C-alpha cells in the first residue's frame, strides 16, 4: 500500500534554506586549509597563434609569489586525448591547459601565478609578459558558413536529425501558404553568479580533497584521476553547494586542471577562482544560423517543414546539440527535412546551456508558426491545435503522456487570450503599444541510471546518500520529501547527503533528469529498507504483522502499521531491536527500461503567453505579464517546481531582450565580458509571472512519474515575447536579442 | 591559526581595526586588499559572496557603518575603525532575521549564491524607509543580480516583511 504523503506534492520549503540565508552554505571557493595558496590565471590576448616568449621574472619577484606555471615548466600529464575526455565531452580533442605554446581561443589560460595571498597572486599575474605570434583567426560564423559539415562522429546522448520523411520539396511547392525566414540569436554565456572555482586540499600522500564548482562530482573525480594518473580513491570531489551553473559546470573547467596541477606540484593546498571576465573564456551557448520553411494549406495545416541549421563549434571539438528535431516532433506533418551542420570558429568549445538546442530551435520554429498563423488568418493557438502531434513522427513512437492541449486551454484562459485583437498595433496603454504573443515549449523527459543509499537508525534518523548535485534546483528538498514519506519519518529527521564523489554513483546534474533519476533511486533504496524492516518486524514473537506483506503495511510516525488497522503496529525501534541491529541500510540502482524507451517518447510540454508594452518613440520593451502552463507529470514540490520554471522564464526574457556576447571579429574576443555590458535580467525587468502546472499522469516515463522542470521554462519564452513584440509593433524581428535599436 | 590571531600575517601591510558582527579584529592588510577579500579570505566569513569583483552584481553587499555597500569596491585599509555587518551577523541568538525567514518561506532563492547580498540589501532598504511599493522594491533591488531568476519571490519576501513591520508598528 502506498504510504500517506505527508510531504510529496506539498510546497515544502527548501531544507537547505537556513544554510543559504545565513551564509553557512559553503561553495567551492569557501573551504580553507592551513597552507592554502592562491592561484590567479593569466589569459591570452590573441585568439589564434602561438606564444613566442613568456617572461615570468617580474612576477616571481613579487613578495609572496611561490611559483608561476606556464607551458614551459608545467608538470607532465596524460598523453592521450582519451584521458581528458569527461563524461559529457563532445567528439574531438579536449582542450589541455598550458599544454604547449599554441593558442586556440582568446582568453586561453597561458599561466597560473601561485602566491601566499590572493592580492600578491593578482598583482604578479599582471606582471607576466607574454609575446605572441598571431595567426589569422575567424570568429564570425557567417564567414565559415560555406565550410559547414555534418559531424562524422555523433555526440553521445544527442539525437542527430531524423531521416527526411515524405516529399518536403514537392509539398512545399504545392502548398498555397508559405513562410520562409532566417532566424538567429546571440551567443550567450551562462554566467552563474558564482564564478568557477576549485579549492584543492592537499591531504598528504598524494591524496586530494577537491571542492569544485561542477554539476557532477564524479565527473570531476574521474577527470582528475585520469589526467593526472591518480588512483580514483585518492581523489575526492565535493560540490555540496553550487552557485548556479545552467550547464557551465557539466564539464570540468580549466581552473580545476590548474588548481590540481599546482597542488600536486607544490604539495600544498591551492585555490583558483576565475574572474568574471574569465567566465567569458570557456563554454557558451553556440551561435546558430537557422532557416525555416513552412508550407501549409489554407486552413493552416502543415504540408511541409524544413529546418536547416549551421551551428558554431570550436576548432578542436565537434559540440553538437539537437536544434532541429523539434520541428519534426512538435507538429503533425508528413513531409519534413531537417539538417544540422557545424562550422568551426576560433572560440572555446560551446556547451550545453539551459535546454540546449531546444531553446535555439524552438525559438525559430515558434516565430515561424506565428507568421504562419497571421498569413492564414487564424489565431496562433488554433493553428497549433490544428497541427497537434498525437505521436512523435520523428521516431514513430507514442508519447508516454502529453497534456499540451490542456496547457493551451488553461494558459489561454488564465491569460485572457480570447480578448486579443489579432491585428498588430491594435492595442495600446497610454503611450505604449501593447502586444500579446504565445508559443509552445517542449523538452525531453530524461531518466538516467542512478544509485542511492538509505540508512535508517533505530533512533529514527534517516540518511540518504547519492553523488547527485543540487545546483539550485531543489534536489536536497525533494529527496528529503520522498524519503520522509517512504519511511514515515518527519522531514527534520532526514539528512540528505549529495554533492560528494564518494557517495553512490550518479550522473552529472543536467538535462532536467535529476528529480526523476535520483528521486527514483532514493525511492528504491527506501523501498529496500522497508522490506528489511518488515522482515524484522514479522520475526518478533507474536508479531501483529506476522502475516503481512509489504503491500499490507504503511510506514507512519516511526511505526509499521497494518493498513486499515493502525492499532496493529510494530515500532521501527522494536523491529530493529528484535533483529539485533542499530540501523537498517540498503543501496539500490535504477535504470531506464529499454523496452519502454523503444516504444515511447517522453517529453515535457508548455504553452507560454506573453504581454509586452513597447514605447514606440524609445523602442523600450517591457515584458509586463507571462503565463506559462506546464505539463510535466507529477509535481513533487509545487514551491521549488514553480521556482525552476520562473528561473527558466527569466532567462528566456534575457535571451529575448538582453543577452548578447559580442564578438569583436577583429580581435576574436568577447568584448562585453562583465555584468555592466553583458545584460542579464534584473529585478526591475521582471513583472508578473504566473506558472501553472497542468495535471498530467505518466506511469511510463520513470517510476516516479515526474518529468523534470529545470529547462522547460526557457523553451519558447523568447518566441512568445518576440511574437508579442510583433503584435504590438507590426515589426517581425527574427534576430535575438530584440534590443531597442531593432525597433527604431 | 584562528582568524583573530593572524595580526602579523603580512608585515608589509597596513594595520586596520574592523568590528565585524560585533567582534573586533586587528589586521594588517595589503594596500590593494578590498573589504570583500578580507572578510572572505582573512576572517573566513564566506557568507559575503564574490560574483563580479566590479561592483556590478551586488553579491558582496554588506552594511558598513550603517550604509549598504558593495564590499568589493571598498579598500579595507581606508576603513580603519569601521563597523561591518555581514549575513553571518543578521540572525540574533540563532533566531533568523524576519527577512531571512521570509526568503525561505517565499523560496526567494535557488542556488543561494546571490542570497546574502539580496538579504543585506533588502534589510538595509527597509531600514532606510525606501522600497515601499512593488515598483520601488523592483527598482531598488536591481543592483542585486540573481541568475536563477528568483526576482518574483524576492519581491514577495520583501513585501511580506514590509507588511509585518507595518502591522507590528500599529498598536
Amino acid at each position: 500500500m502506498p504510504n500517506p504523503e505527508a510531504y510529496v506534492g506539498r510546497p515544502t520549503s527548501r531544507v537547505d534554506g537556513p544554510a543559504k540565508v545565513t551564509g553557512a552554505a559553503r561553495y567551492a571557493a569557501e573551504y580553507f586549509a592551513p597552507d592554502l595558496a592562491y592561484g590567479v590565471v593569466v589569459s591570452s590576448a590573441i585568439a589564434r597563434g602561438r606564444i613566442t616568449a613568456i617572461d615570468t621574472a617580474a612576477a616571481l619577484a613579487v613578495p609572496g609569489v611561490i611559483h608561476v606555471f606556464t607551458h614551459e615548466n608545467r608538470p607532465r600529464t596524460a598523453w592521450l586525448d582519451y584521458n581528458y575526455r569527461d563524461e559529457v565531452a563532445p567528439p574531438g580533442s579536449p582542450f589541455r591547459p598550458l599544454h604547449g605554446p599554441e593558442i586556440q581561443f582568446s582568453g586561453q589560460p597561458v599561466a597560473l601565478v601561485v602566491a601566499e595571498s590572493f592580492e600578491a597572486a593578482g598583482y604578479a599575474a599582471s606582471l607576466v609578459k607574454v609575446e605572441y605570434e598571431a595567426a589569422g583567426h575567424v570568429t564570425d560564423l557567417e564567414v565559415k558558413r560555406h565550410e559547414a559539415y555534418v559531424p562524422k562522429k555523433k555526440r553521445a546522448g544527442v539525437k542527430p536529425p531524423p531521416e527526411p520523411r515524405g516529399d518536403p520539396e514537392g509539398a512545399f511547392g504545392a502548398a498555397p501558404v508559405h513562410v520562409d525566414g532566417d532566424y538567429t540569436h546571440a551567443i550567450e554565456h551562462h554566467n552563474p553568479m558564482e564564478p568557477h572555482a576549485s579549492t584543492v586540499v592537499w591531504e598528504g600522500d598524494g591524496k586530494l580533497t577537491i571542492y569544485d564548482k561542477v554539476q557532477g562530482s564524479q565527473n570531476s573525480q574521474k577527470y582528475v584521476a585520469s589526467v593526472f594518473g591518480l588512483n580514483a580513491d585518492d581523489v575526492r570531489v565535493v560540490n555540496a553547494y553550487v552557485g548556479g551553473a545552467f550547464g557551465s559546470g557539466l564539464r570540468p573547467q580549466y581552473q580545476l586542471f590548474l588548481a590540481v596541477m599546482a597542488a600536486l606540484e607544490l604539495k600544498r593546498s591551492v585555490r583558483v577562482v576565475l574572474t568574471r571576465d574569465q567566465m567569458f573564456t570557456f563554454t557558451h551557448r553556440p551561435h546558430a544560423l537557422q532557416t525555416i520553411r513552412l508550407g501549409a494549406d489554407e486552413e493552416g495545416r502543415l504540408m511541409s517543414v524544413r529546418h536547416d541549421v549551421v551551428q558554431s563549434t570550436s576548432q578542436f571539438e565537434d559540440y553538437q546539440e539537437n536544434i532541429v528535431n523539434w520541428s519534426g516532433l512538435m507538429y503533425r506533418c508528413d513531409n519534413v527535412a531537417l539538417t544540422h551542420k557545424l562550422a568551426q570558429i576560433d572560440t572555446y568549445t560551446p556547451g550545453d546551456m539551459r535546454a540546449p538546442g531546444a531553446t535555439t530551435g524552438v525559438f525559430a520554429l515558434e516565430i515561424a508558426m506565428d507568421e504562419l498563423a497571421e498569413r492564414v488568418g487564424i489565431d496562433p493557438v488554433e493553428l497549433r491545435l490544428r497541427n497537434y502531434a498525437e505521436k512523435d513522427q520523428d521516431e514513430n513512437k507514442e508519447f508516454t503522456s502529453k497534456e499540451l492541449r490542456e496547457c493551451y486551454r488553461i494558459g489561454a484562459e488564465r491569460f485572457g487570450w480570447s480578448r486579443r485583437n489579432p491585428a498588430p498595433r491594435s492595442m495600446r496603454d497610454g503611450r505604449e503599444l501593447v502586444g500579446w504573443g504565445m508559443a509552445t515549449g517542449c523538452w525531453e523527459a530524461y531518466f538516467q541510471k542512478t544509485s542511492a543509499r538509505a540508512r535508517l537508525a533505530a533512533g529514527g534518523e534517516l540518511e540518504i546518500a547519492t553523488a547527485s548535485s543540487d545546483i539550485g534546483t531543489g534536489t536536497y528538498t525533494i529527496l528529503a520529501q520522498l524519503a520522509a514519506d517512504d519511511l514515515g519519518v518527519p522531514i527534520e529527521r532526514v539528512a540528505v547527503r549529495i554533492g560528494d564523489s564518494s557517495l553512490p554513483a550518479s550522473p552529472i546534474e543536467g538535462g532536467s533528469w535529476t528529480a526523476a533519476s535520483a528521486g527514483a533511486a532514493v525511492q528504491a533504496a527506501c523501498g529496500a529498507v522497508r522490506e528489511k524492516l518488515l522482515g524484522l518486524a514479522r520475526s518478533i514473537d507474536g508479531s501483529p504483522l506476522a502475516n503481512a506483506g509489504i503491500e499490507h503495511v504503511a510506514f507512519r510516525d516511526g511505526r509499521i502499521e497494518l493498513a486499515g488497522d493502525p492499532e496493529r503496529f510494530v515500532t521501527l525501534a522494536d523491529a530493529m531491536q528484535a533483529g539485533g541491529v542499530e540501523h537498517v541500510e540498503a543501496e539500490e540502482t535504477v535504470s531506464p527500461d529499454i523496452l519502454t524507451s523503444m516504444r515511447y517518447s517522453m517529453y515535457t510540454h508548455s504553452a507560454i503567453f506573453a504581454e509586452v508594452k513597447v514605447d514606440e518613440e524609445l523602442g523600450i520593451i517591457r515584458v509586463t505579464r507571462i503565463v506559462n502552463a506546464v505539463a510535466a507529470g507529477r509535481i513533487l514540490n509545487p514551491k521549488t517546481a514553480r521556482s525552476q520554471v520562473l528561473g527558466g522564464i527569466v532567462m528566456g526574457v534575457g535571451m529575448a531582450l538582453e543577452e548578447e556576447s559580442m564578438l569583436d571579429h577583429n580581435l576574436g574576443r568577447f568584448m562585453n565580458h562583465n555584468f555592466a555590458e553583458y545584460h542579464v535580467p534584473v529585478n526591475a525587468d521582471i513583472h508578473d509571472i504566473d506558472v501553472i502546472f497542468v495535471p498530467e499522469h505518466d506511469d511510463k516515463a520513470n517510476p516516479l512519474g515526474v518529468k523534470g522542470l529545470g529547462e522547460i521554462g526557457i523553451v519558447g519564452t523568447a518566441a512568445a515575447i518576440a511574437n508579442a513584440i510583433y503584435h504590438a509593433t507590426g515589426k517581425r524581428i527574427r534576430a535575438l536579442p530584440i534590443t531597442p535599436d531593432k525597433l527604431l | 591559526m584562528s582568524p583573530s590571531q593572524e595580526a602579523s600575517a603580512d608585515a608589509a601591510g597596513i594595520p586596520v581595526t574592523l568590528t565585524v558582527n560585533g567582534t573586533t579584529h586587528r589586521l594588517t592588510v595589503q594596500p590593494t586588499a578590498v573589504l570583500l577579500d578580507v572578510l572572505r579570505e582573512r576572517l573566513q566569513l564566506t557568507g559575503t559572496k564574490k560574483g563580479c569583483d566590479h561592483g556590478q552584481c551586488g553579491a558582496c553587499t554588506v552594511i558598513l557603518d550603517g550604509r549598504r555597500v558593495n564590499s568589493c569596491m571598498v579598500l579595507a585599509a581606508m576603513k580603519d575603525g569601521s563597523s561591518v555587518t555581514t549575513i553571518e551577523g543578521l540572525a540574533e541568538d540563532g533566531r533568523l532575521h524576519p527577512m531571512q525567514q521570509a526568503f525561505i518561506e517565499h523560496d526567494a532563492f535557488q542556488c543561494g549564491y546571490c542570497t546574502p547580498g539580496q538579504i543585506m540589501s533588502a534589510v538595509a532598504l527597509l531600514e532606510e524607509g525606501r522600497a515601499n511599493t512593488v515598483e520601488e522594491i523592483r527598482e531598488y533591488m536591481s543592483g542585486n543580480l540573481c541568475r536563477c531568476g528568483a526576482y518574483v519571490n524576492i519581491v514577495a519576501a520583501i513585501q511580506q516583511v514590509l507588511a509585518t513591520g507595518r502591522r507590528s508598528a500599529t498598536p
Side-chain angles (χ1 to χ4, degrees):
Chain A
M1 142 166 191
N3 253 26
E5 290 188 339
Y7 300 104
V8 172
R10 295 176 196 275
T12 309
S13 291
R14 282 172 205 263
V15 297
D16 49 337
K20 285 178 174 173
V21 301
T22 56
R26 288 200 182 239
Y27 299 78
E30 301 176 350
Y31 290 84
F32 293 86
D35 63 341
L36 186 67
Y38 293 81
V40 169
V41 177
V42 180
S43 307
S44 101
I46 63 165
R48 191 172 192 188
R50 54 190 290 119
I51 299 168
T52 53
I54 188 157
D55 179 0
T56 60
L60 284 165
V62 173
V65 169
I66 302 160
H67 194 70
V68 180
F69 292 90
T70 70
H71 68 280
E72 290 173 347
N73 66 3
R74 69 167 173 87
R76 278 185 183 282
T77 54
W79 182 248
L80 297 171
D81 274 343
Y82 169 82
N83 295 98
Y84 294 80
R85 206 162 280 147
D86 69 276
E87 200 174 311
V88 283
S93 181
F95 172 63
R96 303 180 187 193
L98 308 188
H99 184 70
E102 293 77 23
I103 300 296
Q104 296 173 292
F105 57 93
S106 179
Q108 176 178 325
V110 294
L112 179 76
V113 179
V114 184
E116 300 290 346
S117 73
F118 170 68
E119 288 78 14
Y123 174 55
S126 73
L127 301 177
V128 174
K129 289 196 192 76
V130 188
E131 286 173 32
Y132 305 94
E133 184 183 288
H137 64 259
V138 178
T139 49
D140 187 348
L141 183 60
E142 296 275 8
V143 172
K144 296 297 286 293
R145 182 176 210 161
H146 68 282
E147 292 177 20
Y149 58 95
V150 175
K152 280 197 194 71
K153 200 163 177 190
K154 302 301 175 198
R155 180 180 170 211
V158 175
K159 289 173 187 160
E163 290 298 311
R165 60 178 181 255
D167 174 17
E169 289 307 313
F172 185 79
V177 186
H178 289 166
V179 170
D180 188 343
D182 292 332
Y183 304 82
T184 191
H185 66 285
I187 290 177
E188 297 177 318
H189 281 81
H190 304 65
N191 274 308
M193 293 311 299
E194 178 199 19
H196 276 245
S198 303
T199 301
V200 180
V201 176
W202 171 261
E203 307 278 11
D205 298 332
K207 285 190 193 298
L208 303 176
T209 302
I210 302 170
Y211 300 93
D212 190 28
K213 182 196 173 72
V214 74
Q215 289 170 251
S217 56
Q218 291 174 335
N219 195 23
S220 287
Q221 179 203 29
K222 285 174 205 147
Y223 173 84
V224 167
S226 158
V227 166
F228 294 95
L230 304 173
N231 187 332
D233 292 341
D234 290 339
V235 181
R236 178 177 167 221
V237 177
V238 175
N239 64 335
Y241 291 100
V242 183
F246 318 107
S248 67
L250 292 173
R251 303 183 68 184
Q253 293 301 346
Y254 63 74
Q255 92 287 339
L256 173 67
F257 175 101
L258 295 170
V260 171
M261 175 194 70
L264 290 173
E265 186 69 5
L266 302 174
K267 296 190 168 30
R268 62 183 287 182
S269 303
V270 176
R271 158 139 67 245
V272 178
V273 184
L274 298 186
T275 61
R276 181 53 59 184
D277 45 320
Q278 286 167 341
M279 294 292 288
F280 289 77
T281 61
F282 53 101
T283 189
H284 51 271
R285 194 192 293 286
H287 196 195
L289 307 171
Q290 310 191 54
T291 304
I292 289 190
R293 288 201 295 164
L294 305 179
D297 68 16
E298 269 145 9
E299 276 74 53
R301 283 182 193 86
L302 287 167
M303 295 169 65
S304 171
V305 173
R306 183 160 188 119
H307 192 170
D308 300 293
V309 166
V310 175
Q311 174 222 300
S312 66
T313 190
S314 67
Q315 299 281 4
F316 45 96
E317 285 173 311
D318 274 352
Y319 170 74
Q320 301 156 51
E321 50 188 39
N322 165 12
I323 298 176
V324 294
N325 301 17
W326 314 96
S327 295
L329 170 87
M330 284 170 57
Y331 300 107
R332 190 190 181 288
C333 184
D334 295 331
N335 304 293
V336 175
L338 310 170
T339 69
H340 174 255
K341 292 179 179 171
L342 300 180
Q344 297 182 336
I345 57 173
D346 293 296
T347 61
Y348 190 85
T349 308
D352 297 320
M353 178 168 167
R354 206 167 201 163
T359 302
T360 301
V362 173
F363 129 71
L365 174 69
E366 288 297 292
I367 293 179
M369 287 296 280
D370 199 63
E371 297 180 48
L372 180 61
E374 202 202 10
R375 233 155 267 182
V376 176
I378 61 171
D379 182 85
V381 176
E382 174 59 24
L383 177 78
R384 285 158 174 88
L385 290 172
R386 284 188 195 175
N387 290 287
Y388 197 82
E390 296 291 356
K391 64 187 290 189
D392 171 0
Q393 282 183 288
D394 279 356
E395 300 194 49
N396 194 26
K397 291 178 189 172
E398 301 293 323
F399 293 109
T400 54
S401 58
K402 181 177 176 179
E403 295 293 346
L404 178 57
R405 270 201 190 87
E406 279 296 276
C407 296
Y408 291 132
R409 187 183 69 76
I410 295 171
E413 194 177 291
R414 183 75 63 90
F415 189 83
W417 185 256
S418 61
R419 298 195 301 275
R420 178 179 186 261
N421 180 337
R425 303 179 61 84
S426 60
M427 293 161 61
R428 252 183 196 280
D429 179 9
R431 57 178 283 156
E432 289 176 308
L433 293 164
V434 178
W436 288 3
M438 61 83 56
T440 312
C442 190
W443 182 247
E444 283 201 71
Y446 291 103
F447 177 45
Q448 300 277 351
K449 182 179 176 182
T450 305
S451 303
R453 187 169 64 228
R455 186 181 198 269
L456 182 67
E461 302 84 14
L462 174 59
E463 186 190 90
I464 297 302
T466 170
S468 195
S469 313
D470 188 331
I471 60 172
T473 41
T475 312
Y476 279 108
T477 309
I478 58 151
L479 296 187
Q481 290 174 270
L482 286 163
D485 276 354
D486 279 345
L487 288 163
V489 301
I491 200 165
E492 296 76 24
R493 307 299 293 278
V494 183
V496 176
R497 289 184 63 208
I498 55 175
D500 184 333
S501 64
S502 66
L503 302 175
S506 169
I508 50 165
E509 177 166 52
S512 296
W513 61 55
T514 302
S517 312
V522 164
Q523 194 163 67
C526 289
V529 168
R530 284 161 57 103
E531 296 269 4
K532 287 185 184 182
L533 284 166
L534 178 60
L536 297 177
R538 287 171 52 160
S539 70
I540 297 173
D541 275 347
S543 170
L545 306 177
N547 300 314
I550 196 76
E551 68 279 13
H552 303 131
V553 299
F555 285 66
R556 184 161 34 201
D557 301 335
R559 298 165 162 192
I560 314 173
E561 302 171 353
L562 201 60
D565 189 1
E567 289 313 302
R568 298 181 67 191
F569 66 89
V570 173
T571 66
L572 299 178
D574 285 346
M576 287 196 216
Q577 196 179 19
V581 296
E582 286 178 353
H583 67 265
V584 172
E585 180 176 313
E587 183 171 327
E588 291 289 327
T589 300
V590 293
S591 305
D593 180 61
I594 305 291
L595 283 176
T596 307
S597 359
M598 281 168 64
R599 284 183 58 195
Y600 295 99
S601 286
M602 303 158 197
Y603 288 92
T604 311
H605 295 91
S606 68
I608 308 136
F609 297 82
E611 176 184 88
V612 299
K613 293 188 177 172
V614 181
D615 183 314
E616 210 180 358
E617 283 164 36
L618 299 174
I620 292 170
I621 304 158
R622 297 188 300 135
V623 181
T624 44
R625 205 153 61 85
I626 284 190
V627 172
N628 192 350
V630 180
R634 182 179 175 208
I635 302 303
L636 298 174
N637 183 332
K639 188 184 276 194
T640 56
R642 174 173 171 269
S643 288
Q644 291 241 75
V645 178
L646 285 175
I649 293 169
V650 169
M651 207 174 268
V653 172
M655 182 191 190
L657 303 182
E658 302 178 52
E659 294 186 39
E660 181 171 17
S661 297
M662 297 177 183
L663 272 162
D664 179 323
H665 296 307
N666 187 38
L667 290 167
R669 186 189 307 164
F670 292 108
M671 297 304 290
N672 55 336
H673 44 59
N674 59 71
F675 280 135
E677 295 167 276
Y678 181 95
H679 291 172
V680 300
V682 302
N683 205 316
D685 295 329
I686 300 304
H687 299 266
D688 293 347
I689 304 179
D690 198 350
V691 177
I692 303 162
F693 292 111
V694 172
E696 184 176 68
H697 177 73
D698 194 311
D699 54 10
K700 299 182 188 75
N702 55 68
L704 291 183
V706 307
K707 285 183 169 178
L709 290 160
E711 287 159 299
I712 187 65
I714 192 173
V715 186
T717 298
I721 293 168
N723 294 340
I725 291 169
Y726 173 75
H727 183 235
T729 64
K731 288 184 181 162
R732 181 66 72 183
I733 311 296
R734 300 187 185 91
L736 302 182
I738 305 176
T739 42
D741 54 298
K742 291 178 183 168
L743 292 183
L744 295 175
Chain B
M1 183 169 71
S2 78
S4 52
Q5 291 173 321
E6 60 167 332
S8 62
D10 185 357
I14 297 164
V16 291
T17 300
L18 291 173
T19 302
V20 182
N21 302 328
T23 305
T24 301
H25 301 269
R26 287 182 183 79
L27 299 159
T28 308
V29 300
Q30 292 183 7
T32 55
V34 296
L35 179 60
L36 172 61
D37 291 320
V38 170
L39 291 171
R40 284 172 66 83
E41 304 298 341
R42 298 288 294 282
L43 304 181
Q44 300 190 7
L45 290 168
T46 55
T48 306
K49 304 303 183 191
K50 181 186 283 192
C52 70
D53 226 2
H54 282 57
Q56 296 169 343
C57 79
C60 65
T61 305
V62 299
I63 299 174
L64 174 68
D65 296 328
R67 294 183 59 221
R68 62 199 148 84
V69 298
N70 286 328
S71 60
C72 73
M73 302 295 279
V74 176
L75 288 169
M78 294 178 70
K79 294 297 164 189
D80 187 27
S82 285
S83 178
V84 183
T85 305
T86 71
I87 190 73
E88 290 94 341
L90 211 52
E92 279 180 23
D93 305 323
R95 277 186 40 241
L96 295 181
H97 185 281
M99 191 66 76
Q100 292 172 312
Q101 194 60 48
F103 265 61
I104 294 176
E105 283 168 24
H106 289 274
D107 210 34
F109 53 89
Q110 294 180 42
C111 79
Y113 197 79
C114 74
T115 311
Q118 301 277 1
I119 291 174
M120 296 313 285
S121 283
V123 166
L125 282 177
L126 263 51
E127 279 173 9
E128 291 165 21
R130 296 175 199 255
N132 291 306
T133 65
V134 171
E135 287 70 27
E136 285 176 0
I137 294 172
R138 286 178 181 147
E139 193 61 36
Y140 282 113
M141 288 300 291
S142 283
N144 290 84
L145 303 184
C146 170
R147 189 61 165 152
C148 295
Y151 296 127
V152 171
N153 294 346
I154 291 169
V155 171
I158 297 172
Q159 279 182 293
Q160 176 183 304
V161 177
L162 203 58
T164 317
R166 278 191 184 137
R167 266 205 303 279
S168 65
T170 313

